[in-house]
Amino acid sequence: MSETVHIAVDAMGGDNAPSVVLEGVHQALLDDENLHVLLCGPAEVIEGFAADHDRCEAVICSEIIAMDESPALAVRRKKDSSIVVGCRLIKEGRAEGFFSAGSTGACLAAATLVTGRIPGVLRPAVGQILPAYKKPTLLLDVGANADCRPDYLVQFAQMGLVYMKQIMGIDSPTVALLNIGEEESKGSVLAVDAHKLLKEEVPEFVGNVEGRDLLSGDVDVIVTDGFTGNVVLKAIEGNAKTFFRLIKDVFVSSLKTKLGAALVKGDLAGLKAMLSPDTYGGAPLLGVKGAVLIGHGSSNALAVRNGIKTTASTARAQVSQRIAETIHLEEFEDAAE
């Protein structure tokens, strides 16, 4: 963490903003002495905090984009909102990254329209690190593109491979396609065509995986369309919540189980932390200029802290530049053929 990095943070993003955002920024600044935060929000919320914290600059914004607003319309109309301003700071070169736990759609729209796509990228994609059994797995897209073409999924794979190398430290990551069977002929027209194209253009492609394989950790990157990815992600989150509720019900059902719960309380807390989305702080938006991380709407201070730190790591690793190099190389090779 020796390299100085400037990260814009949306002070008003999330269900529990601004209090948890300010606490998360405070913790992130304590953890990283070379982190500089450009805190975006109303003057009455951020000026006092910035004055009390070294390496924190207040960037005053007069507007806020609510969760229930039309993302694209809000981004176009509210040019002085904390989300739009945060993305503009990347475009202006004042920040290398942006973190927000606000509206996912607004963050996506602002990053695409204001910050801009990496040249050659067809569609940016939102990724999510899954707490798989053997090792974490990146699933993408999880919501940016409900309808996809096969070549979109090829680029998702290429971008995901870069992220896993640079951020997760995987030397030789592998990629698979989410499908309803392992055979090449299985699945929708999109799945069959995508399999063929991935096999031709992505050397790290190992074939199809099924839904039951998502959390095995056998592959490093799993690609799918944004509609399927979002449904899968929310199903996993819902299953995890239900699992812990059932475990809790068992442990309070009798004196014997209560004693057992006391013995394994620490281990269960560790398991819960491993499964929590707070661990990584958010979902990377890959394919746009700069490092953009979108936090969960219910983010707490720990999630904000980790989200800012992951954004800083993504900026330091120059992930967007590495993606640009990868996409450019693929275009050059295609042209040569």
Side-chain angles (χ1 to χ4, degrees), residues 7-12 37-47 49-51 56-63 79-89 92 94-95 98:
I7 302 300
V9 176
D10 174 14
M12 306 310 293
V37 171
L38 292 87
L39 192 58
C40 305
E44 62 272 18
V45 172
I46 65 172
E47 282 188 325
F49 179 90
C56 182
E57 176 186 346
V59 181
I60 308 303
C61 306
S62 61
E63 298 175 303
K79 299 186 183 301
D80 199 42
S81 63
S82 51
I83 289 177
V84 174
V85 170
C87 288
R88 190 183 303 136
L89 291 171
E92 294 172 351
R94 294 177 59 190
F98 173 60

PDB file of all heavy atoms in Angstrom, residues 7-12 37-47 49-51 56-63 79-89 92 94-95 98:
ATOM      1  N   ILE A   7      -9.292   8.199  -3.931  1.00  0.00           N
ATOM      2  CA  ILE A   7     -10.558   7.512  -4.160  1.00  0.00           C
ATOM      3  C   ILE A   7     -11.717   8.431  -3.802  1.00  0.00           C
ATOM      4  O   ILE A   7     -11.779   8.960  -2.682  1.00  0.00           O
ATOM      5  CB  ILE A   7     -10.651   6.214  -3.323  1.00  0.00           C
ATOM      6  CG1 ILE A   7      -9.487   5.275  -3.658  1.00  0.00           C
ATOM      7  CG2 ILE A   7     -11.999   5.532  -3.549  1.00  0.00           C
ATOM      8  CD1 ILE A   7      -9.425   4.831  -5.099  1.00  0.00           C
ATOM      9  N   ALA A   8     -12.631   8.632  -4.739  1.00  0.00           N
ATOM     10  CA  ALA A   8     -13.858   9.387  -4.474  1.00  0.00           C
ATOM     11  C   ALA A   8     -14.865   8.463  -3.800  1.00  0.00           C
ATOM     12  O   ALA A   8     -14.993   7.294  -4.172  1.00  0.00           O
ATOM     13  CB  ALA A   8     -14.426   9.935  -5.776  1.00  0.00           C
ATOM     14  N   VAL A   9     -15.563   8.976  -2.798  1.00  0.00           N
ATOM     15  CA  VAL A   9     -16.527   8.180  -2.044  1.00  0.00           C
ATOM     16  C   VAL A   9     -17.852   8.932  -1.960  1.00  0.00           C
ATOM     17  O   VAL A   9     -17.887  10.116  -1.623  1.00  0.00           O
ATOM     18  CB  VAL A   9     -16.017   7.871  -0.618  1.00  0.00           C
ATOM     19  CG1 VAL A   9     -17.077   7.119   0.187  1.00  0.00           C
ATOM     20  CG2 VAL A   9     -14.729   7.062  -0.669  1.00  0.00           C
ATOM     21  N   ASP A  10     -18.924   8.229  -2.263  1.00  0.00           N
ATOM     22  CA  ASP A  10     -20.277   8.777  -2.183  1.00  0.00           C
ATOM     23  C   ASP A  10     -20.735   8.725  -0.729  1.00  0.00           C
ATOM     24  O   ASP A  10     -21.044   7.651  -0.201  1.00  0.00           O
ATOM     25  CB  ASP A  10     -21.207   7.954  -3.081  1.00  0.00           C
ATOM     26  CG  ASP A  10     -22.668   8.350  -2.959  1.00  0.00           C
ATOM     27  OD1 ASP A  10     -22.955   9.422  -2.389  1.00  0.00           O
ATOM     28  OD2 ASP A  10     -23.529   7.580  -3.442  1.00  0.00           O
ATOM     29  N   ALA A  11     -20.792   9.873  -0.073  1.00  0.00           N
ATOM     30  CA  ALA A  11     -21.171   9.928   1.335  1.00  0.00           C
ATOM     31  C   ALA A  11     -22.642   9.593   1.558  1.00  0.00           C
ATOM     32  O   ALA A  11     -23.040   9.212   2.666  1.00  0.00           O
ATOM     33  CB  ALA A  11     -20.872  11.314   1.913  1.00  0.00           C
ATOM     34  N   MET A  12     -23.451   9.702   0.513  1.00  0.00           N
ATOM     35  CA  MET A  12     -24.894   9.539   0.663  1.00  0.00           C
ATOM     36  C   MET A  12     -25.406   8.219   0.109  1.00  0.00           C
ATOM     37  O   MET A  12     -26.613   8.011   0.008  1.00  0.00           O
ATOM     38  CB  MET A  12     -25.609  10.704  -0.035  1.00  0.00           C
ATOM     39  CG  MET A  12     -25.141  12.085   0.419  1.00  0.00           C
ATOM     40  SD  MET A  12     -25.126  12.284   2.218  1.00  0.00           S
ATOM     41  CE  MET A  12     -26.887  12.197   2.560  1.00  0.00           C
ATOM     42  N   VAL A  37      -9.023  10.443   0.334  1.00  0.00           N
ATOM     43  CA  VAL A  37     -10.445  10.311   0.025  1.00  0.00           C
ATOM     44  C   VAL A  37     -11.025  11.662  -0.382  1.00  0.00           C
ATOM     45  O   VAL A  37     -10.810  12.673   0.303  1.00  0.00           O
ATOM     46  CB  VAL A  37     -11.231   9.754   1.235  1.00  0.00           C
ATOM     47  CG1 VAL A  37     -12.739   9.837   0.991  1.00  0.00           C
ATOM     48  CG2 VAL A  37     -10.826   8.306   1.503  1.00  0.00           C
ATOM     49  N   LEU A  38     -11.728  11.657  -1.502  1.00  0.00           N
ATOM     50  CA  LEU A  38     -12.505  12.819  -1.908  1.00  0.00           C
ATOM     51  C   LEU A  38     -13.953  12.499  -1.591  1.00  0.00           C
ATOM     52  O   LEU A  38     -14.596  11.712  -2.295  1.00  0.00           O
ATOM     53  CB  LEU A  38     -12.324  13.112  -3.403  1.00  0.00           C
ATOM     54  CG  LEU A  38     -10.929  13.603  -3.828  1.00  0.00           C
ATOM     55  CD1 LEU A  38     -10.016  12.410  -4.128  1.00  0.00           C
ATOM     56  CD2 LEU A  38     -11.012  14.508  -5.048  1.00  0.00           C
ATOM     57  N   LEU A  39     -14.460  13.062  -0.514  1.00  0.00           N
ATOM     58  CA  LEU A  39     -15.780  12.715   0.019  1.00  0.00           C
ATOM     59  C   LEU A  39     -16.847  13.594  -0.629  1.00  0.00           C
ATOM     60  O   LEU A  39     -16.815  14.817  -0.507  1.00  0.00           O
ATOM     61  CB  LEU A  39     -15.778  12.889   1.535  1.00  0.00           C
ATOM     62  CG  LEU A  39     -16.940  12.321   2.324  1.00  0.00           C
ATOM     63  CD1 LEU A  39     -17.088  10.820   2.105  1.00  0.00           C
ATOM     64  CD2 LEU A  39     -16.759  12.622   3.811  1.00  0.00           C
ATOM     65  N   CYS A  40     -17.787  12.950  -1.321  1.00  0.00           N
ATOM     66  CA  CYS A  40     -18.798  13.678  -2.098  1.00  0.00           C
ATOM     67  C   CYS A  40     -20.140  13.676  -1.365  1.00  0.00           C
ATOM     68  O   CYS A  40     -20.677  12.615  -1.042  1.00  0.00           O
ATOM     69  CB  CYS A  40     -18.970  13.029  -3.471  1.00  0.00           C
ATOM     70  SG  CYS A  40     -17.434  12.863  -4.411  1.00  0.00           S
ATOM     71  N   GLY A  41     -20.689  14.867  -1.135  1.00  0.00           N
ATOM     72  CA  GLY A  41     -21.973  14.950  -0.461  1.00  0.00           C
ATOM     73  C   GLY A  41     -22.313  16.368  -0.067  1.00  0.00           C
ATOM     74  O   GLY A  41     -21.559  17.311  -0.364  1.00  0.00           O
ATOM     75  N   PRO A  42     -23.439  16.564   0.631  1.00  0.00           N
ATOM     76  CA  PRO A  42     -23.845  17.899   1.067  1.00  0.00           C
ATOM     77  C   PRO A  42     -22.848  18.490   2.065  1.00  0.00           C
ATOM     78  O   PRO A  42     -22.233  17.757   2.849  1.00  0.00           O
ATOM     79  CB  PRO A  42     -25.201  17.647   1.748  1.00  0.00           C
ATOM     80  CG  PRO A  42     -25.665  16.333   1.214  1.00  0.00           C
ATOM     81  CD  PRO A  42     -24.428  15.534   0.975  1.00  0.00           C
ATOM     82  N   ALA A  43     -22.705  19.797   2.048  1.00  0.00           N
ATOM     83  CA  ALA A  43     -21.732  20.475   2.904  1.00  0.00           C
ATOM     84  C   ALA A  43     -21.936  20.151   4.369  1.00  0.00           C
ATOM     85  O   ALA A  43     -20.965  19.907   5.108  1.00  0.00           O
ATOM     86  CB  ALA A  43     -21.813  21.988   2.668  1.00  0.00           C
ATOM     87  N   GLU A  44     -23.201  20.140   4.812  1.00  0.00           N
ATOM     88  CA  GLU A  44     -23.469  19.929   6.235  1.00  0.00           C
ATOM     89  C   GLU A  44     -23.102  18.524   6.706  1.00  0.00           C
ATOM     90  O   GLU A  44     -22.936  18.275   7.900  1.00  0.00           O
ATOM     91  CB  GLU A  44     -24.946  20.198   6.548  1.00  0.00           C
ATOM     92  CG  GLU A  44     -25.946  19.296   5.849  1.00  0.00           C
ATOM     93  CD  GLU A  44     -26.377  19.779   4.480  1.00  0.00           C
ATOM     94  OE1 GLU A  44     -25.656  20.633   3.908  1.00  0.00           O
ATOM     95  OE2 GLU A  44     -27.420  19.311   3.989  1.00  0.00           O
ATOM     96  N   VAL A  45     -22.967  17.604   5.769  1.00  0.00           N
ATOM     97  CA  VAL A  45     -22.630  16.220   6.113  1.00  0.00           C
ATOM     98  C   VAL A  45     -21.123  15.992   6.108  1.00  0.00           C
ATOM     99  O   VAL A  45     -20.587  15.292   6.978  1.00  0.00           O
ATOM    100  CB  VAL A  45     -23.299  15.237   5.128  1.00  0.00           C
ATOM    101  CG1 VAL A  45     -22.791  13.816   5.348  1.00  0.00           C
ATOM    102  CG2 VAL A  45     -24.810  15.283   5.283  1.00  0.00           C
ATOM    103  N   ILE A  46     -20.414  16.582   5.150  1.00  0.00           N
ATOM    104  CA  ILE A  46     -19.020  16.181   4.931  1.00  0.00           C
ATOM    105  C   ILE A  46     -17.963  17.192   5.358  1.00  0.00           C
ATOM    106  O   ILE A  46     -16.820  16.808   5.611  1.00  0.00           O
ATOM    107  CB  ILE A  46     -18.795  15.825   3.447  1.00  0.00           C
ATOM    108  CG1 ILE A  46     -18.980  17.061   2.554  1.00  0.00           C
ATOM    109  CG2 ILE A  46     -19.735  14.712   3.012  1.00  0.00           C
ATOM    110  CD1 ILE A  46     -18.585  16.811   1.098  1.00  0.00           C
ATOM    111  N   GLU A  47     -18.302  18.474   5.453  1.00  0.00           N
ATOM    112  CA  GLU A  47     -17.258  19.473   5.724  1.00  0.00           C
ATOM    113  C   GLU A  47     -16.616  19.280   7.090  1.00  0.00           C
ATOM    114  O   GLU A  47     -15.384  19.327   7.217  1.00  0.00           O
ATOM    115  CB  GLU A  47     -17.829  20.885   5.586  1.00  0.00           C
ATOM    116  CG  GLU A  47     -17.987  21.337   4.140  1.00  0.00           C
ATOM    117  CD  GLU A  47     -18.374  22.794   4.014  1.00  0.00           C
ATOM    118  OE1 GLU A  47     -19.128  23.301   4.872  1.00  0.00           O
ATOM    119  OE2 GLU A  47     -17.919  23.437   3.042  1.00  0.00           O
ATOM    120  N   PHE A  49     -16.480  16.539   8.886  1.00  0.00           N
ATOM    121  CA  PHE A  49     -15.730  15.286   8.888  1.00  0.00           C
ATOM    122  C   PHE A  49     -14.393  15.468   8.187  1.00  0.00           C
ATOM    123  O   PHE A  49     -13.348  15.032   8.692  1.00  0.00           O
ATOM    124  CB  PHE A  49     -16.544  14.197   8.193  1.00  0.00           C
ATOM    125  CG  PHE A  49     -15.860  12.865   8.119  1.00  0.00           C
ATOM    126  CD1 PHE A  49     -16.026  11.934   9.128  1.00  0.00           C
ATOM    127  CD2 PHE A  49     -15.052  12.537   7.031  1.00  0.00           C
ATOM    128  CE1 PHE A  49     -15.380  10.707   9.072  1.00  0.00           C
ATOM    129  CE2 PHE A  49     -14.418  11.313   6.960  1.00  0.00           C
ATOM    130  CZ  PHE A  49     -14.577  10.392   7.990  1.00  0.00           C
ATOM    131  N   ALA A  50     -14.410  16.121   7.035  1.00  0.00           N
ATOM    132  CA  ALA A  50     -13.165  16.327   6.276  1.00  0.00           C
ATOM    133  C   ALA A  50     -12.186  17.192   7.053  1.00  0.00           C
ATOM    134  O   ALA A  50     -10.970  16.953   7.020  1.00  0.00           O
ATOM    135  CB  ALA A  50     -13.473  16.947   4.918  1.00  0.00           C
ATOM    136  N   ALA A  51     -12.708  18.177   7.766  1.00  0.00           N
ATOM    137  CA  ALA A  51     -11.838  19.058   8.549  1.00  0.00           C
ATOM    138  C   ALA A  51     -11.135  18.300   9.669  1.00  0.00           C
ATOM    139  O   ALA A  51     -10.020  18.660  10.075  1.00  0.00           O
ATOM    140  CB  ALA A  51     -12.659  20.212   9.123  1.00  0.00           C
ATOM    141  N   CYS A  56      -8.471  13.758   3.706  1.00  0.00           N
ATOM    142  CA  CYS A  56      -9.875  13.708   3.282  1.00  0.00           C
ATOM    143  C   CYS A  56     -10.300  15.096   2.823  1.00  0.00           C
ATOM    144  O   CYS A  56     -10.189  16.068   3.575  1.00  0.00           O
ATOM    145  CB  CYS A  56     -10.779  13.233   4.421  1.00  0.00           C
ATOM    146  SG  CYS A  56     -12.525  13.081   3.946  1.00  0.00           S
ATOM    147  N   GLU A  57     -10.760  15.174   1.590  1.00  0.00           N
ATOM    148  CA  GLU A  57     -11.183  16.445   1.002  1.00  0.00           C
ATOM    149  C   GLU A  57     -12.685  16.434   0.776  1.00  0.00           C
ATOM    150  O   GLU A  57     -13.236  15.469   0.242  1.00  0.00           O
ATOM    151  CB  GLU A  57     -10.461  16.676  -0.330  1.00  0.00           C
ATOM    152  CG  GLU A  57     -10.915  17.925  -1.074  1.00  0.00           C
ATOM    153  CD  GLU A  57     -10.284  18.046  -2.454  1.00  0.00           C
ATOM    154  OE1 GLU A  57      -9.309  17.324  -2.737  1.00  0.00           O
ATOM    155  OE2 GLU A  57     -10.787  18.862  -3.256  1.00  0.00           O
ATOM    156  N   ALA A  58     -13.359  17.499   1.187  1.00  0.00           N
ATOM    157  CA  ALA A  58     -14.797  17.619   0.976  1.00  0.00           C
ATOM    158  C   ALA A  58     -15.074  18.110  -0.439  1.00  0.00           C
ATOM    159  O   ALA A  58     -14.525  19.127  -0.869  1.00  0.00           O
ATOM    160  CB  ALA A  58     -15.405  18.577   2.002  1.00  0.00           C
ATOM    161  N   VAL A  59     -15.896  17.371  -1.175  1.00  0.00           N
ATOM    162  CA  VAL A  59     -16.344  17.782  -2.506  1.00  0.00           C
ATOM    163  C   VAL A  59     -17.853  17.997  -2.411  1.00  0.00           C
ATOM    164  O   VAL A  59     -18.626  17.043  -2.345  1.00  0.00           O
ATOM    165  CB  VAL A  59     -16.002  16.718  -3.573  1.00  0.00           C
ATOM    166  CG1 VAL A  59     -16.465  17.187  -4.949  1.00  0.00           C
ATOM    167  CG2 VAL A  59     -14.509  16.418  -3.581  1.00  0.00           C
ATOM    168  N   ILE A  60     -18.253  19.251  -2.362  1.00  0.00           N
ATOM    169  CA  ILE A  60     -19.645  19.585  -2.077  1.00  0.00           C
ATOM    170  C   ILE A  60     -20.550  19.251  -3.259  1.00  0.00           C
ATOM    171  O   ILE A  60     -20.268  19.624  -4.406  1.00  0.00           O
ATOM    172  CB  ILE A  60     -19.787  21.086  -1.737  1.00  0.00           C
ATOM    173  CG1 ILE A  60     -18.800  21.478  -0.627  1.00  0.00           C
ATOM    174  CG2 ILE A  60     -21.220  21.392  -1.322  1.00  0.00           C
ATOM    175  CD1 ILE A  60     -18.944  20.666   0.642  1.00  0.00           C
ATOM    176  N   CYS A  61     -21.650  18.557  -2.973  1.00  0.00           N
ATOM    177  CA  CYS A  61     -22.662  18.207  -3.984  1.00  0.00           C
ATOM    178  C   CYS A  61     -24.027  18.667  -3.471  1.00  0.00           C
ATOM    179  O   CYS A  61     -24.336  18.503  -2.289  1.00  0.00           O
ATOM    180  CB  CYS A  61     -22.694  16.700  -4.225  1.00  0.00           C
ATOM    181  SG  CYS A  61     -21.092  15.980  -4.663  1.00  0.00           S
ATOM    182  N   SER A  62     -24.824  19.192  -4.356  1.00  0.00           N
ATOM    183  CA  SER A  62     -26.116  19.741  -3.948  1.00  0.00           C
ATOM    184  C   SER A  62     -27.273  18.781  -4.173  1.00  0.00           C
ATOM    185  O   SER A  62     -28.410  19.063  -3.767  1.00  0.00           O
ATOM    186  CB  SER A  62     -26.396  21.041  -4.718  1.00  0.00           C
ATOM    187  OG  SER A  62     -26.446  20.785  -6.123  1.00  0.00           O
ATOM    188  N   GLU A  63     -27.004  17.615  -4.819  1.00  0.00           N
ATOM    189  CA  GLU A  63     -28.085  16.693  -5.148  1.00  0.00           C
ATOM    190  C   GLU A  63     -27.741  15.265  -4.727  1.00  0.00           C
ATOM    191  O   GLU A  63     -26.573  14.904  -4.574  1.00  0.00           O
ATOM    192  CB  GLU A  63     -28.365  16.729  -6.654  1.00  0.00           C
ATOM    193  CG  GLU A  63     -28.829  18.087  -7.156  1.00  0.00           C
ATOM    194  CD  GLU A  63     -28.978  18.125  -8.669  1.00  0.00           C
ATOM    195  OE1 GLU A  63     -27.979  17.841  -9.352  1.00  0.00           O
ATOM    196  OE2 GLU A  63     -30.080  18.453  -9.156  1.00  0.00           O
ATOM    197  N   LYS A  79     -26.794  16.405 -12.318  1.00  0.00           N
ATOM    198  CA  LYS A  79     -25.370  16.432 -12.632  1.00  0.00           C
ATOM    199  C   LYS A  79     -24.509  16.825 -11.437  1.00  0.00           C
ATOM    200  O   LYS A  79     -23.274  16.661 -11.471  1.00  0.00           O
ATOM    201  CB  LYS A  79     -25.113  17.376 -13.808  1.00  0.00           C
ATOM    202  CG  LYS A  79     -25.830  16.947 -15.090  1.00  0.00           C
ATOM    203  CD  LYS A  79     -25.442  17.801 -16.264  1.00  0.00           C
ATOM    204  CE  LYS A  79     -26.209  17.417 -17.520  1.00  0.00           C
ATOM    205  NZ  LYS A  79     -25.998  16.011 -17.911  1.00  0.00           N
ATOM    206  N   ASP A  80     -25.137  17.349 -10.370  1.00  0.00           N
ATOM    207  CA  ASP A  80     -24.388  17.709  -9.171  1.00  0.00           C
ATOM    208  C   ASP A  80     -24.678  16.727  -8.028  1.00  0.00           C
ATOM    209  O   ASP A  80     -24.512  17.068  -6.866  1.00  0.00           O
ATOM    210  CB  ASP A  80     -24.709  19.140  -8.729  1.00  0.00           C
ATOM    211  CG  ASP A  80     -23.650  19.706  -7.797  1.00  0.00           C
ATOM    212  OD1 ASP A  80     -22.453  19.483  -8.062  1.00  0.00           O
ATOM    213  OD2 ASP A  80     -24.009  20.351  -6.786  1.00  0.00           O
ATOM    214  N   SER A  81     -25.119  15.521  -8.396  1.00  0.00           N
ATOM    215  CA  SER A  81     -25.353  14.494  -7.374  1.00  0.00           C
ATOM    216  C   SER A  81     -24.025  13.858  -6.967  1.00  0.00           C
ATOM    217  O   SER A  81     -23.036  13.905  -7.707  1.00  0.00           O
ATOM    218  CB  SER A  81     -26.290  13.413  -7.914  1.00  0.00           C
ATOM    219  OG  SER A  81     -25.697  12.736  -9.003  1.00  0.00           O
ATOM    220  N   SER A  82     -24.014  13.248  -5.783  1.00  0.00           N
ATOM    221  CA  SER A  82     -22.777  12.654  -5.267  1.00  0.00           C
ATOM    222  C   SER A  82     -22.268  11.528  -6.156  1.00  0.00           C
ATOM    223  O   SER A  82     -21.050  11.333  -6.286  1.00  0.00           O
ATOM    224  CB  SER A  82     -23.000  12.151  -3.837  1.00  0.00           C
ATOM    225  OG  SER A  82     -24.150  11.322  -3.750  1.00  0.00           O
ATOM    226  N   ILE A  83     -23.159  10.783  -6.806  1.00  0.00           N
ATOM    227  CA  ILE A  83     -22.737   9.698  -7.687  1.00  0.00           C
ATOM    228  C   ILE A  83     -22.120  10.244  -8.971  1.00  0.00           C
ATOM    229  O   ILE A  83     -21.044   9.811  -9.395  1.00  0.00           O
ATOM    230  CB  ILE A  83     -23.925   8.767  -8.008  1.00  0.00           C
ATOM    231  CG1 ILE A  83     -24.301   7.940  -6.768  1.00  0.00           C
ATOM    232  CG2 ILE A  83     -23.585   7.834  -9.173  1.00  0.00           C
ATOM    233  CD1 ILE A  83     -25.510   7.049  -6.962  1.00  0.00           C
ATOM    234  N   VAL A  84     -22.778  11.197  -9.588  1.00  0.00           N
ATOM    235  CA  VAL A  84     -22.261  11.774 -10.846  1.00  0.00           C
ATOM    236  C   VAL A  84     -20.949  12.517 -10.601  1.00  0.00           C
ATOM    237  O   VAL A  84     -19.988  12.372 -11.366  1.00  0.00           O
ATOM    238  CB  VAL A  84     -23.310  12.707 -11.477  1.00  0.00           C
ATOM    239  CG1 VAL A  84     -22.719  13.429 -12.691  1.00  0.00           C
ATOM    240  CG2 VAL A  84     -24.544  11.917 -11.897  1.00  0.00           C
ATOM    241  N   VAL A  85     -20.911  13.290  -9.532  1.00  0.00           N
ATOM    242  CA  VAL A  85     -19.690  14.042  -9.227  1.00  0.00           C
ATOM    243  C   VAL A  85     -18.532  13.088  -8.944  1.00  0.00           C
ATOM    244  O   VAL A  85     -17.401  13.309  -9.393  1.00  0.00           O
ATOM    245  CB  VAL A  85     -19.916  14.990  -8.031  1.00  0.00           C
ATOM    246  CG1 VAL A  85     -18.595  15.583  -7.552  1.00  0.00           C
ATOM    247  CG2 VAL A  85     -20.878  16.107  -8.419  1.00  0.00           C
ATOM    248  N   GLY A  86     -18.799  12.005  -8.204  1.00  0.00           N
ATOM    249  CA  GLY A  86     -17.750  11.031  -7.914  1.00  0.00           C
ATOM    250  C   GLY A  86     -17.158  10.438  -9.177  1.00  0.00           C
ATOM    251  O   GLY A  86     -15.931  10.298  -9.310  1.00  0.00           O
ATOM    252  N   CYS A  87     -18.004  10.109 -10.131  1.00  0.00           N
ATOM    253  CA  CYS A  87     -17.520   9.573 -11.405  1.00  0.00           C
ATOM    254  C   CYS A  87     -16.800  10.642 -12.225  1.00  0.00           C
ATOM    255  O   CYS A  87     -15.813  10.355 -12.918  1.00  0.00           O
ATOM    256  CB  CYS A  87     -18.688   8.992 -12.207  1.00  0.00           C
ATOM    257  SG  CYS A  87     -19.337   7.439 -11.533  1.00  0.00           S
ATOM    258  N   ARG A  88     -17.285  11.874 -12.126  1.00  0.00           N
ATOM    259  CA  ARG A  88     -16.634  12.970 -12.865  1.00  0.00           C
ATOM    260  C   ARG A  88     -15.212  13.213 -12.364  1.00  0.00           C
ATOM    261  O   ARG A  88     -14.328  13.603 -13.132  1.00  0.00           O
ATOM    262  CB  ARG A  88     -17.460  14.247 -12.747  1.00  0.00           C
ATOM    263  CG  ARG A  88     -16.990  15.375 -13.696  1.00  0.00           C
ATOM    264  CD  ARG A  88     -17.798  16.641 -13.490  1.00  0.00           C
ATOM    265  NE  ARG A  88     -19.205  16.384 -13.673  1.00  0.00           N
ATOM    266  CZ  ARG A  88     -20.172  16.842 -12.872  1.00  0.00           C
ATOM    267  NH1 ARG A  88     -19.856  17.584 -11.819  1.00  0.00           N
ATOM    268  NH2 ARG A  88     -21.431  16.574 -13.117  1.00  0.00           N
ATOM    269  N   LEU A  89     -14.988  12.975 -11.081  1.00  0.00           N
ATOM    270  CA  LEU A  89     -13.650  13.165 -10.525  1.00  0.00           C
ATOM    271  C   LEU A  89     -12.639  12.224 -11.179  1.00  0.00           C
ATOM    272  O   LEU A  89     -11.474  12.558 -11.335  1.00  0.00           O
ATOM    273  CB  LEU A  89     -13.675  12.952  -9.010  1.00  0.00           C
ATOM    274  CG  LEU A  89     -14.425  14.018  -8.201  1.00  0.00           C
ATOM    275  CD1 LEU A  89     -14.564  13.587  -6.740  1.00  0.00           C
ATOM    276  CD2 LEU A  89     -13.702  15.366  -8.287  1.00  0.00           C
ATOM    277  N   GLU A  92     -11.923  13.697 -14.656  1.00  0.00           N
ATOM    278  CA  GLU A  92     -11.085  14.892 -14.560  1.00  0.00           C
ATOM    279  C   GLU A  92      -9.664  14.577 -14.100  1.00  0.00           C
ATOM    280  O   GLU A  92      -8.804  15.465 -14.082  1.00  0.00           O
ATOM    281  CB  GLU A  92     -11.730  15.893 -13.601  1.00  0.00           C
ATOM    282  CG  GLU A  92     -13.057  16.450 -14.106  1.00  0.00           C
ATOM    283  CD  GLU A  92     -13.774  17.296 -13.060  1.00  0.00           C
ATOM    284  OE1 GLU A  92     -13.319  17.296 -11.891  1.00  0.00           O
ATOM    285  OE2 GLU A  92     -14.769  17.958 -13.414  1.00  0.00           O
ATOM    286  N   ARG A  94      -8.795  13.686 -11.049  1.00  0.00           N
ATOM    287  CA  ARG A  94      -8.579  13.993  -9.637  1.00  0.00           C
ATOM    288  C   ARG A  94      -8.656  12.740  -8.764  1.00  0.00           C
ATOM    289  O   ARG A  94      -8.157  12.738  -7.643  1.00  0.00           O
ATOM    290  CB  ARG A  94      -9.616  15.021  -9.161  1.00  0.00           C
ATOM    291  CG  ARG A  94      -9.469  16.386  -9.803  1.00  0.00           C
ATOM    292  CD  ARG A  94     -10.564  17.336  -9.338  1.00  0.00           C
ATOM    293  NE  ARG A  94     -10.544  17.524  -7.891  1.00  0.00           N
ATOM    294  CZ  ARG A  94     -11.509  18.161  -7.209  1.00  0.00           C
ATOM    295  NH1 ARG A  94     -12.560  18.654  -7.865  1.00  0.00           N
ATOM    296  NH2 ARG A  94     -11.415  18.292  -5.908  1.00  0.00           N
ATOM    297  N   ALA A  95      -9.307  11.704  -9.265  1.00  0.00           N
ATOM    298  CA  ALA A  95      -9.423  10.449  -8.519  1.00  0.00           C
ATOM    299  C   ALA A  95      -9.127   9.282  -9.448  1.00  0.00           C
ATOM    300  O   ALA A  95      -9.367   9.358 -10.653  1.00  0.00           O
ATOM    301  CB  ALA A  95     -10.821  10.307  -7.916  1.00  0.00           C
ATOM    302  N   PHE A  98     -13.740   5.179  -7.593  1.00  0.00           N
ATOM    303  CA  PHE A  98     -14.972   5.681  -6.978  1.00  0.00           C
ATOM    304  C   PHE A  98     -15.695   4.534  -6.291  1.00  0.00           C
ATOM    305  O   PHE A  98     -15.839   3.447  -6.866  1.00  0.00           O
ATOM    306  CB  PHE A  98     -15.878   6.301  -8.048  1.00  0.00           C
ATOM    307  CG  PHE A  98     -17.254   6.695  -7.552  1.00  0.00           C
ATOM    308  CD1 PHE A  98     -17.406   7.627  -6.542  1.00  0.00           C
ATOM    309  CD2 PHE A  98     -18.401   6.124  -8.104  1.00  0.00           C
ATOM    310  CE1 PHE A  98     -18.674   7.986  -6.076  1.00  0.00           C
ATOM    311  CE2 PHE A  98     -19.665   6.477  -7.657  1.00  0.00           C
ATOM    312  CZ  PHE A  98     -19.803   7.417  -6.642  1.00  0.00           C
TER     313      PHE A  98
END
